[in-house]
Amino acid sequence: MDAVQDEAAGKRARGLDRAFEILEFLRRKRQALKPNEIAAQIGAPRSSVYELVNLLLQNGILEFTGGEGRVYLGRKLYFLGAAYENHFDFTRECEAALEQLADETRETAQFCMLDGNRYTVVRMREGARPFRISTDVGQSVPIPWTASGRLLVAHLSDQEILSFIPPQDFRLPTGEWLDPQIFIAEVRQAEREGLFTFNSIVDSFTHCFAVPVRGEEGHAAATLCLVTPRDDGLANRDHYLDCLKKAAASLDQAPMRPKRSWP
């Protein structure tokens, strides 16, 4: 009897893992797909994907969109995310810091974190300049492509970094390969200086600035960033870094904590 119960529990756990895999896959693809397309691309049995997709549709986690049976992330996920944000004071602090940065520098300000073993922009405020640089909030990007990535893995040992980052993520958008040892040297430089800046690997016209927002353990739990036109970024480097450090210090003092509940 125990063996039967254990087997059933194991199947439920695998089904839950597969459901999260489907949701994560759709988040990364950022487009509606048919269940058979999802199954083929994640290497899962079509029957189990169809069963899970139907269950997620029934609960509003997925929705039909785009016709021909295509599905995408549902509005229930938005409400769940809104409930999460409402539970944390830190969201308000982060918005204030980004607004201040965008006002002071007129540049695009971002709050960034790791999403598994990739980098993502969590929050963003565009600057006031006529030429604006935007990015997709929530889109996962290889860590080596980003200035923030050097800071977000700085608490790891060299070997831990190489084990953490997928080898293919050292292939740059240009098709060239970034030597992992060069990346590690830049990580250690960022760790010593408490910042990292470089000409963007993703966009040849921009310059990126990043400083750490430290968590309770003292290492970078997140970063604050500025993405600027290259010439303006280089000309205003010291001013931009001063603004970033001041904003990051205000977040260091406002840890990512749940809102206080009153009796």
Side-chain angles (χ1 to χ4, degrees):
M1 186 65 176
D2 289 343
V4 173
Q5 291 177 338
D6 288 345
E7 182 180 357
K11 287 182 178 179
R12 287 194 296 272
R14 289 191 294 275
L16 186 59
D17 287 342
R18 183 70 76 191
F20 280 119
E21 184 180 6
I22 291 169
L23 296 175
E24 178 63 17
F25 175 73
L26 288 171
R27 186 183 75 87
R28 291 183 184 275
K29 293 293 289 186
R30 291 180 170 262
Q31 66 181 91
L33 294 169
K34 300 176 183 177
N36 64 316
E37 294 172 328
I38 297 171
Q41 294 189 49
I42 68 175
R46 290 176 59 184
S47 59
S48 63
V49 169
Y50 272 98
E51 181 180 357
L52 287 167
V53 165
N54 284 330
L55 182 61
L56 293 169
L57 285 166
Q58 291 169 20
N59 287 276
I61 303 300
L62 293 180
E63 294 179 357
F64 285 115
T65 181
E68 298 183 346
R70 293 184 178 87
V71 297
Y72 194 60
L73 304 177
R75 69 191 68 187
K76 178 67 72 66
L77 294 173
Y78 172 81
F79 295 127
L80 292 172
Y84 173 83
E85 286 194 346
N86 188 58
H87 189 60
F88 283 86
D89 284 326
F90 187 76
T91 303
R92 184 178 66 252
E93 304 287 350
C94 179
E95 293 284 1
L98 290 175
E99 185 173 351
Q100 178 182 342
L101 272 172
D103 287 346
E104 289 180 343
T105 66
R106 302 177 67 243
E107 307 290 3
T108 298
Q110 300 173 342
F111 179 78
C112 309
M113 302 180 77
L114 290 182
D115 176 21
N117 59 2
R118 288 203 155 195
Y119 154 98
T120 190
V121 177
V122 179
R123 293 279 182 178
M124 183 184 70
R125 280 291 179 274
E126 289 187 334
R129 63 168 59 251
F131 170 65
R132 295 186 180 184
I133 302 168
S134 61
T135 190
D136 290 329
V137 172
Q139 183 173 4
S140 295
V141 176
I143 291 171
W145 295 11
T146 69
S148 290
R150 274 77 176 165
L151 293 161
L152 292 169
V153 299
H155 62 290
L156 301 176
S157 70
D158 293 1
Q159 187 55 52
E160 286 173 333
I161 291 172
L162 295 178
S163 298
F164 182 63
I165 299 176
Q168 65 270 21
D169 283 3
F170 287 99
R171 186 182 181 91
L172 304 179
T174 60
E176 299 177 274
W177 287 90
L178 173 62
D179 185 338
Q181 295 306 317
I182 292 177
F183 175 77
I184 288 174
E186 292 174 345
V187 169
R188 300 306 167 214
Q189 173 191 341
E191 185 179 26
R192 289 191 303 271
E193 297 180 357
L195 60 93
F196 194 79
T197 76
F198 72 166
N199 290 329
S200 174
I201 291 173
V202 178
D203 185 339
S204 60
F205 298 103
T206 62
H207 192 81
C208 302
F209 299 80
V211 300
V213 177
R214 302 193 184 278
E216 294 181 0
E217 296 180 358
H219 59 71
T223 60
L224 280 177
C225 316
L226 287 174
V227 184
T228 76
R230 184 171 294 185
D231 290 344
D232 290 339
L234 294 173
N236 294 284
R237 174 185 168 86
D238 291 343
H239 172 57
Y240 288 173
L241 285 173
D242 285 344
C243 292
L244 277 169
K245 290 176 181 178
K246 181 173 63 175
S250 71
L251 295 182
D252 284 340
Q253 298 164 13
M256 303 176 202
R257 61 187 181 274
K259 289 183 179 178
R260 184 179 302 171
S261 58
W262 300 99

